[in-house]
């Protein structure tokens, strides 16, 4: 009968919608993710964002359920470190000189994010809320692996929304091939067509990553091991990712191998604004 059909369609609509826990990264990372969250909400999904009280762009909104947590630094300290890191991009110097400056600046940012994540994980009331909310999945930017830690704790599938991760951890976590003969490393300023000496240079960028990746993410590994009560590395956490939504497009980026759970979504890299005439 018609009433029965309407009832069944209503139930199907309820079944299709999901409950999503979102642990974002601030800055332009959030601006692009926000576009996706708005669309998910329009499709009937319930979205809950967990974010720090101090940030650039992640602010409470009428359209998004947001759970804020305290952080051990001020807005001024946060903005000062971020601006110092961004300034490095405009400084001149060789690739290797710039690499060490970027590394130092990135270390400060990751330390800030790790202290924020620690406050979140120590917030027993908020963690209890997350445990009791029965989410279907976690959407997070793995540049800051706090969302990956929560996904592991809550035993939820994780979806990663990213442009890239330091040290090529996205390649390692997905076991994705990255031959140095044609996949240029970040900051190498090389193309996908290299001479022999350029390939050697490209390989050297890989070797330095082996030394510095542990240095960068050590605060998160310590935090994750304490919270999950077992020895765990950032690579262990990221390898649990179910889907990798990679904000790249081979119109702009050099070609590279992709694994089946890596989906390029080029074009979603910032908040869209209509330009004036």
């Amino acid at each position: 009968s018609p009433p029965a059909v309407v009832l069944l369609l209503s139930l199907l609509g309820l079944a299709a919608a999901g409950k999503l826990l979102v642990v974002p990264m601030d800055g332009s990372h959030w601006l692009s993710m926000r576009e996706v969250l708005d669309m998910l909400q329009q499709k009937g999904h319930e979205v809950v964002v967990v974010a720090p009280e101090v940030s650039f762009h992640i602010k409470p909104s009428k359209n998004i359920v947001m759970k804020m947590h305290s952080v051990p630094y001020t807005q001024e300290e946060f903005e000062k470190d971020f601006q110092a890191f961004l300034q490095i991009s405009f400084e001149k110097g060789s690739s290797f000189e710039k690499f060490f400056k970027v590394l130092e600046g990135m270390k400060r940012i990751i330390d800030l994010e790790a202290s924020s994540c620690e406050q979140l994980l120590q917030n027993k009331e908020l963690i209890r809320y997350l445990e009791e909310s029965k989410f279907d999945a976690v959407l997070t930017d793995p540049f800051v692996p706090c969302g990956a830690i929560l996904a592991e704790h809550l035993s939820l599938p994780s979806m990663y929304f990213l442009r890239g991760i330091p040290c090529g951890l996205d390649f390692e976590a997905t076991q994705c091939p990255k031959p140095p003969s044609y996949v240029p490393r970040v900051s190498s300023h090389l193309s996908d067509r290299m001479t022999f000496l350029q390939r050697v240079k490209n390989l050297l960028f890989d070797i330095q990553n082996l030394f510095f990746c542990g240095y960068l993410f050590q605060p998160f590994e310590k935090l994750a091991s304490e919270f999950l009560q077992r020895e765990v590395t950032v690579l262990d956490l990221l390898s649990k990712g179910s889907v990798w939504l990679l904000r790249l497009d081979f119109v702009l980026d050099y070609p590279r191998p992709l694994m089946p759970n890596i989906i390029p979504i080029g074009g979603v890299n910032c908040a869209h604004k209509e330009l004036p005439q």
Side-chain angles (χ1 to χ4, degrees):
S1 63
V5 171
V6 171
L7 177 60
L8 285 172
L9 289 174
S10 301
L11 291 174
L12 285 173
L14 289 172
K19 191 171 184 179
L20 188 66
L21 171 61
V22 180
V23 186
M25 170 80 181
D26 200 7
S28 60
H29 300 248
W30 165 250
L31 295 178
S32 51
M33 183 180 280
R34 175 65 189 268
E35 295 253 309
V36 176
L37 299 185
D38 288 342
M39 186 60 67
L40 287 172
Q41 283 192 312
Q42 290 175 27
K43 292 181 178 292
H45 301 286
E46 184 178 350
V47 176
V48 177
V49 176
V50 174
E53 291 177 344
V54 173
S55 69
F56 278 123
H57 301 297
I58 309 174
K59 305 298 180 185
S61 167
K62 293 180 180 179
N63 301 325
I64 293 179
V65 176
M66 195 163 287
K67 299 292 182 180
M68 313 296 286
H69 61 87
S70 61
V71 291
Y73 49 81
T74 65
Q75 185 75 34
E76 291 73 21
E77 292 170 333
F78 178 71
E79 291 184 6
K80 180 181 177 182
D81 281 343
F82 254 96
Q83 291 299 333
F85 175 65
L86 294 174
Q87 188 61 36
I88 295 171
S89 303
F90 301 99
E91 294 181 2
K92 296 181 179 180
S94 69
S95 296
F96 283 100
E97 286 175 340
K98 205 165 187 179
F99 171 81
F100 286 105
K101 289 182 179 180
V102 169
L103 181 72
E104 183 183 353
M106 197 174 292
K107 176 63 175 172
R108 287 201 299 269
I109 299 302
I110 286 179
D111 285 345
L112 274 180
E113 295 290 352
S115 64
S116 170
C117 183
E118 184 176 13
Q119 291 292 310
L120 165 58
L121 299 179
Q122 289 179 353
N123 189 327
K124 294 182 179 179
E125 183 180 348
L126 181 52
I127 294 297
R128 191 181 307 113
Y129 163 80
L130 298 179
E131 291 170 343
E132 295 172 353
S133 293
K134 305 300 179 184
F135 291 100
D136 296 301
V138 175
L139 175 65
T140 186
D141 189 322
F143 188 98
V144 175
C146 196
I149 297 173
L150 278 177
E152 182 70 9
H153 173 69
L154 300 172
S155 300
L156 292 173
S158 51
M159 297 180 290
Y160 297 148
F161 182 88
L162 70 157
R163 181 78 172 109
I165 313 179
C167 310
L169 279 177
D170 48 337
F171 287 93
E172 297 293 334
T174 55
Q175 299 184 32
C176 189
K178 53 171 183 174
S181 57
Y182 75 92
V183 178
R185 303 315 187 232
V186 175
S187 300
S188 68
H189 303 297
L190 297 170
S191 75
D192 59 329
R193 296 177 182 271
M194 293 174 260
T195 64
F196 174 75
L197 290 179
Q198 287 173 329
R199 292 176 186 181
V200 172
K201 176 186 176 180
N202 203 35
L203 188 61
L204 290 175
F205 273 83
D206 259 353
I207 294 172
Q208 65 190 9
N209 282 342
L210 295 175
F211 294 98
F212 297 119
C213 204
Y215 165 73
L216 275 179
F217 287 102
Q218 189 273 335
F220 277 104
E221 293 189 347
K222 181 175 181 291
L223 193 59
S225 298
E226 291 174 354
F227 183 69
L228 299 173
Q229 298 184 343
R230 69 175 189 276
E231 200 68 30
V232 64
T233 66
V234 168
L235 191 58
D236 294 333
L237 292 169
L238 297 184
S239 64
K240 303 289 182 68
S242 299
V243 178
W244 293 67
L245 302 174
L246 217 57
R247 300 198 312 271
L248 60 79
D249 190 323
F250 291 148
V251 173
L252 298 174
D253 300 276
Y254 294 115
R256 48 161 282 192
L258 297 175
M259 300 302 275
N261 62 335
I262 298 176
I263 305 171
I265 53 169
V268 189
N269 283 303
C270 59
H272 294 179
K273 290 186 178 180
E274 188 174 341
L275 296 175
Q277 188 64 36

